[in-house]
Amino acid sequence: MAERTNSKKHYRDNFTGWLLNIPYLAYTAVFFLIPLVWAVWLSTMDWNLMSPDRTFVGIRNFTGMFANPKIIAAFFNSFRYLAPIVVLCFLFGLLLALLISNLPDRIKGVTAVLFFIPYLTSGVATSVVIRFFFSYNSAFNHFLRERFDKDISWFQNPTSAFWIIIAIIVWKMSGYYALFLLSAIESIEPEVNEAAAIDGCVGFRRLVYITLPMILPTITTVIVLASGLAFGIYTEPYLLTGGGPNNATTTWLLEIYNTSFTNFRSGEGAAMAIANAVQIFVTIQLFTFVMNKLNRKFGV
Amino acid sequence: MIMKKLICAMLAGIMLASAFSGCSPSDTAGGESSESGGVVTVNFWSAPQKVQYNFWTAKAKAFNETETKVNGKTINVKVQEMPESPSSEAGIQNAIVTGTVPAASENISRSFAATLASSGAVYDLQDEQWFKDAVAAKKMENIIAGWAIDSKQYVLPEYVNPMTWQWNAKALRALGFSKVPQTVDDLDAVLKAFVSNKSKMSEIGVTHTLYRTSLARNDQWWERWYDFQSPYMALSQKTTWVENGKLTLDRQGAIDTFELLGKFGNTIQTNEVTDAWTAENPPILLSVSSPWDIQTLRAAGKTYGMDGDYVFGPSLVKKAGDTPYNFADSKGIVLYKNSKISDEQHQGAVAFLKWVYSSENCTQSDVDWLKATTMIPVRGDISTNSAFADQLKQYPELKDLVEFSKYSIPCMASDKMTDIQTALTESGLSVYIQEVLKQEPLHAPDASKAVDSAFSAMKAAGNLS
């Protein structure tokens, strides 16, 4: 009798759970699962989406990518972007979080929000301002020419163009990640820091031996999120460099956009999107694996 | 318990409805048919420009007042700006796929029309009587052949911007020239004077000769219309680029065009200059013309003409007497073919265009267009028709452009145009310009290697023989 009652309760609980999950499941099916299946199908076609004629090409859209220097550049650029973005976003985010955590409580919140504002700024607006800042007749370039006799073509040099894009992204995202880290730092019990201080563990030592190990799960989140960010760069290179010079700043999204919406080769674009997704999945898994190892070894 | 289930179901329903609330189509393709009211709504997309939207809205309003009927139903034309993001072409592609494409739209280049035609997404207008009447009303009999796609007509030409050169008249005068350069020899003379008067040029703020940022950007394939095709047409005397799946580009003409740009050497300004033409002292000697900026330049107090601030010049030709052909930055109107567009909506769109370009309304429509946009309507009599005289008198800039537009050639009719022009950029012009930027003016490097490399790349990219 008791078993039957438990089973009924189990069924009721499950039913309510499923019922409340229906919106999410439906949303996932409509906006993720169906497009994914459709993209896989599209990637096997030679089709511009407009024509009633479409040709099945099997895996040709995938194999063709290996011969496309832009795709190869986008693949390697993802990793070139990844390293500085992850490192700098984490370091600047941590620095901001540490600085804000030491501020008086009454201004802590406001300061955190101030550093969060760049995250809310449109990439288009930022890129336009940056383009103006580095234009030939900007005050900055005037100054360089007048004072140092330097006439620099910022966006025509692969190195400077690349680092300008990195700088914009780091500026935009550091404040956002700082909020994650700040909340983790704030959640460390004051007694832990007091006990460490009694043992003489203060300053940099406290950061290394107390703070960082205690916020390692949050650091993992920040690093995984920042690594994903490196694969989603689009607005800045689109507006500032067009992926050049010599494909030095091109990205997957830029190439997918150009292939699908400029050259109207939607099948190829879909194949590229899938290849990009695979690269993201493998990289994020790798990062998660390494961070979990670190968590187990050094985490508290 | 029942109440709990009910609340859960309601919550789930509300969440589901909220999640999908944005998914209903904002509009139906072509428009709407309302049987009860006897009204057929016809959607027309204008370019994503306020002036063009205003023009078409005014025309639609006037047309709707005529209460024209198709199959006994009144046609009501509704104008919307076409999506601008990510591009108007991509917006149309999306509309075709999702079945929200309008019955007709403007802002279609010959090349994109070729893509639409090869996809069966637009109507062939060639045998339509209203189209023939519109061509006759616009006196376009000699022009329309240049708009053909595979010997058929899909586009009703609307406007043309002849892409030539825009010169800093103040700088030309300071260098001792009283006439705008017409030939390559004239350009050589100007560049020679520029090189030997660099300090004098600096005094009036001119630091560079040709302003062309896109020469340093591989992604901007469409700019090859302006900086390659326009001079190429003049230097090759109108040799086509692509025809019937064959690369017909004249090798020598292409070399001459590359080397024309090469003459500017390290005085090309490839960096962005935010107010190149509106600055008090423009820092450049010339750029590709931008007819759409006429109003902006006027608002900035710039005067036109050799005795003013800036002047449009023709495409540079090899020798005096050659025709200064140039690239026609031109767009037209198409009628979309889609299962979601009813025959009545299609007929409604035809009735609207027939009315706008009828023999009674055509000239006034084109005058209104010119006034609204300062872009030259495509017609064969613009310089002789008195209806345009006032406007051309008021805008001497337009008068010169009208003269140049007689030699304007639209873009190639190939659905592989973007690939072909990208290949030209990446394998040819961009590589060559990197070399050019290291040279002094008038020392153009030999372009034959870059041109040959571009030819191979273009053939591969466009599947051309």
Side-chain angles (χ1 to χ4, degrees):
Chain A
M1 188 66 179
E3 212 171 80
R4 196 183 293 170
T5 315
N6 276 346
S7 164
K8 264 189 166 179
K9 188 176 180 308
H10 183 71
Y11 167 77
R12 274 200 310 269
D13 287 350
N14 267 352
F15 175 78
T16 311
W18 278 109
L19 192 67
L20 285 171
N21 267 300
I22 283 174
Y24 175 72
L25 293 173
Y27 182 86
T28 307
V30 171
F31 292 108
F32 294 101
L33 198 60
I34 295 172
L36 181 67
V37 172
W38 194 73
V40 172
W41 173 80
L42 183 61
S43 69
T44 62
M45 296 287 163
D46 177 9
W47 191 30
N48 67 4
L49 296 181
M50 295 182 283
S51 173
D53 307 321
R54 48 182 176 249
T55 316
F56 178 73
V57 293
I59 58 165
R60 203 179 71 195
N61 286 332
F62 290 94
T63 52
M65 280 191 280
F66 295 106
N68 187 335
K70 288 181 180 177
I71 305 298
I72 293 166
F75 177 83
F76 286 110
N77 283 351
S78 302
F79 294 119
R80 283 179 65 227
Y81 279 118
L82 183 78
I85 283 176
V86 169
V87 172
L88 294 175
C89 279
F90 168 64
L91 287 180
F92 280 108
L94 183 65
L95 188 69
L96 288 176
L98 289 170
L99 287 173
I100 295 168
S101 72
N102 284 309
L103 290 174
D105 282 346
R106 62 196 158 84
I107 58 166
K108 211 179 262 184
V110 177
T111 317
V113 170
L114 283 179
F115 283 108
F116 179 66
I117 287 174
Y119 175 73
L120 303 174
T121 315
S122 133
V124 176
T126 313
S127 301
V128 169
V129 171
I130 292 292
R131 204 160 73 174
F132 180 77
F133 183 81
F134 287 106
S135 66
Y136 180 79
N137 51 343
S138 70
F140 177 60
N141 275 324
H142 258 299
F143 173 75
L144 290 181
R145 281 196 299 274
E146 297 295 319
R147 290 284 173 154
F148 302 103
D149 198 26
K150 292 272 181 205
D151 191 358
I152 304 170
S153 301
W154 294 98
F155 295 114
Q156 285 158 41
N157 179 309
T159 311
S160 56
F162 177 76
W163 282 100
I164 287 170
I165 291 172
I166 293 286
I168 296 171
I169 292 165
V170 171
W171 169 80
K172 193 178 162 82
M173 299 305 293
S174 294
Y176 175 66
Y177 295 134
L179 288 185
F180 286 68
L181 296 167
L182 177 65
S183 117
I185 291 168
E186 294 283 297
S187 68
I188 298 173
E189 295 294 335
E191 291 82 3
V192 176
N193 285 328
E194 284 161 16
I198 292 167
D199 289 342
C201 184
V202 288
F204 187 69
R205 283 169 66 86
R206 189 178 86 181
L207 173 70
V208 173
Y209 293 110
I210 305 294
T211 311
L212 290 181
M214 291 201 77
I215 64 166
L216 205 51
T218 309
I219 292 175
T220 305
T221 307
V222 165
I223 286 180
V224 169
L225 286 176
S227 59
L229 184 74
F231 294 97
I233 301 169
Y234 171 73
T235 313
E236 294 80 7
Y238 175 71
L239 289 170
L240 295 173
T241 62
N246 303 327
N247 296 328
T249 59
T250 198
T251 65
W252 276 107
L253 294 194
L254 199 60
E255 294 309 326
I256 293 168
Y257 165 79
N258 284 333
T259 306
S260 303
F261 300 118
T262 305
N263 298 331
F264 298 111
R265 291 198 297 266
S266 305
E268 261 184 72
M272 286 158 64
I274 289 166
N276 177 25
V278 170
Q279 192 192 7
I280 295 173
F281 180 77
V282 171
T283 311
I284 301 281
Q285 284 301 314
L286 206 65
F287 266 87
T288 312
F289 175 76
V290 172
M291 289 309 293
N292 284 342
K293 282 258 177 199
L294 288 175
N295 261 302
R296 275 197 288 276
K297 196 169 180 189
F298 300 109
V300 176
Chain B
M1 188 53 70
I2 292 170
M3 185 59 83
K4 192 181 163 191
K5 275 186 185 173
L6 209 64
I7 291 169
C8 284
M10 273 170 64
L11 278 173
I14 290 167
M15 283 192 277
L16 205 60
S18 315
F20 295 100
S21 60
C23 296
S24 61
S26 57
D27 217 336
T28 50
E32 296 159 358
S33 254
S34 164
E35 296 291 333
S36 55
V39 174
V40 177
T41 305
V42 174
N43 282 336
F44 180 92
W45 277 4
S46 76
Q49 303 289 337
K50 201 73 195 153
V51 283
Q52 282 166 257
Y53 172 76
N54 289 344
F55 168 83
W56 283 108
T57 306
K59 288 293 158 201
K61 190 170 175 261
F63 171 76
N64 292 341
E65 281 166 8
T66 64
E67 298 193 349
T68 304
K69 286 185 168 48
V70 165
N71 295 343
K73 291 177 188 165
T74 310
I75 304 298
N76 181 54
V77 176
K78 201 171 133 193
V79 179
Q80 281 177 284
E81 283 187 35
M82 62 175 58
E84 192 175 17
S85 183
S87 69
S88 53
E89 286 85 358
I92 290 164
Q93 180 198 36
N94 180 52
I96 291 170
V97 180
T98 55
T100 54
V101 71
S105 87
E106 61 160 352
N107 204 35
I108 304 297
S109 71
R110 184 177 175 232
S111 172
F112 186 52
T115 303
L116 293 170
S118 70
S119 303
V122 283
Y123 280 92
D124 173 13
L125 309 175
Q126 182 162 253
D127 297 325
E128 303 271 337
Q129 190 53 49
W130 71 269
F131 180 75
K132 289 177 186 169
D133 293 344
V135 169
K138 285 163 87 65
K139 312 271 188 291
M140 294 194 298
E141 291 86 350
N142 295 328
I143 299 169
I144 201 70
W147 284 78
I149 298 165
D150 291 335
S151 311
K152 291 177 180 169
Q153 297 290 347
Y154 296 92
V155 188
L156 177 66
E158 191 182 15
Y159 72 85
V160 54
N161 288 313
M163 300 307 298
T164 61
W165 302 108
Q166 185 165 324
W167 293 87
N168 180 341
K170 219 152 75 172
L172 279 179
R173 289 198 304 273
L175 290 172
F177 294 90
S178 56
K179 277 170 73 178
V180 71
Q182 312 274 328
T183 64
V184 176
D185 287 345
D186 292 347
L187 173 72
D188 287 350
V190 170
L191 288 178
K192 207 172 162 190
F194 181 89
V195 171
S196 44
N197 289 285
K198 268 195 170 170
S199 55
K200 195 175 171 186
M201 286 289 99
S202 290
E203 279 168 27
I204 59 165
V206 182
T207 53
H208 292 80
T209 53
L210 176 65
Y211 174 45
R212 196 83 192 123
T213 52
S214 57
L215 285 175
R217 284 191 60 155
N218 278 1
D219 61 317
Q220 294 178 340
W221 60 268
W222 62 90
E223 298 284 2
R224 299 299 82 78
W225 284 331
Y226 314 139
D227 57 27
F228 176 78
Q229 183 167 336
S230 214
Y232 165 79
M233 284 292 167
L235 294 171
S236 69
Q237 288 295 282
K238 201 186 165 185
T239 308
T240 54
W241 191 330
V242 170
E243 241 175 50
N244 304 322
K246 204 173 169 191
L247 186 71
T248 51
L249 203 71
D250 173 41
R251 182 177 177 271
Q252 191 53 49
I255 291 172
D256 291 342
T257 308
F258 274 40
E259 291 182 359
L260 179 85
L261 295 167
K263 283 175 188 289
F264 294 100
N266 58 12
T267 62
I268 300 176
Q269 174 59 285
T270 51
N271 292 304
E272 177 115 358
V273 182
T274 47
D275 51 356
W277 284 107
T278 51
E280 192 180 342
N281 292 309
I284 52 168
L285 181 62
L286 78 157
S287 71
V288 167
S289 61
S290 52
W292 44 83
D293 281 339
I294 287 175
Q295 298 287 17
T296 311
L297 291 172
R298 282 200 166 204
K302 299 292 172 186
T303 53
Y304 180 80
M306 226 12 241
D307 51 351
D309 294 302
Y310 78 103
V311 63
F312 293 127
S315 279
L316 298 165
V317 290
K318 263 187 190 170
K319 55 182 192 302
D322 282 356
T323 311
Y325 292 109
N326 56 64
F327 172 72
D329 173 57
S330 49
K331 300 278 178 77
I333 300 164
V334 294
L335 288 152
Y336 293 97
K337 197 194 280 183
N338 192 290
S339 59
K340 299 280 171 64
I341 300 169
S342 71
D343 188 49
E344 282 176 352
Q345 286 159 349
H346 173 67
Q347 291 306 323
V350 168
F352 175 51
L353 295 175
K354 197 173 163 181
W355 179 84
V356 173
Y357 295 111
S358 64
S359 52
E360 302 83 52
N361 296 335
C362 182
T363 304
Q364 190 55 47
S365 293
D366 284 339
V367 169
D368 293 344
W369 171 269
L370 185 62
K371 279 183 184 167
T373 66
T374 64
M375 292 195 288
I376 300 162
V378 179
R379 39 187 309 145
D381 63 346
I382 193 157
S383 53
T384 52
N385 191 325
S386 58
F388 299 95
D390 280 352
Q391 197 67 8
L392 297 184
K393 200 176 167 190
Q394 195 187 333
Y395 286 93
E397 307 91 311
L398 285 178
K399 203 174 171 189
D400 280 354
L401 291 174
V402 165
E403 284 307 306
F404 302 151
S405 72
K406 291 174 185 167
Y407 315 114
S408 294
I409 317 290
C411 61
M412 67 173 94
S414 166
D415 58 354
K416 293 275 185 191
M417 182 194 67
T418 55
D419 296 297
I420 294 165
Q421 293 192 199
T422 302
L424 170 74
T425 308
E426 289 177 350
S427 302
L429 197 59
S430 177
V431 181
Y432 180 70
I433 290 296
Q434 295 309 318
E435 252 187 277
V436 166
L437 292 171
K438 295 173 196 154
Q439 307 290 329
E440 289 298 317
L442 292 166
H443 292 87
D446 176 19
S448 51
K449 206 175 144 196
V451 166
D452 289 342
S453 163
F455 268 56
S456 306
M458 284 188 284
K459 281 181 182 173
N463 294 328
L464 304 169
S465 55

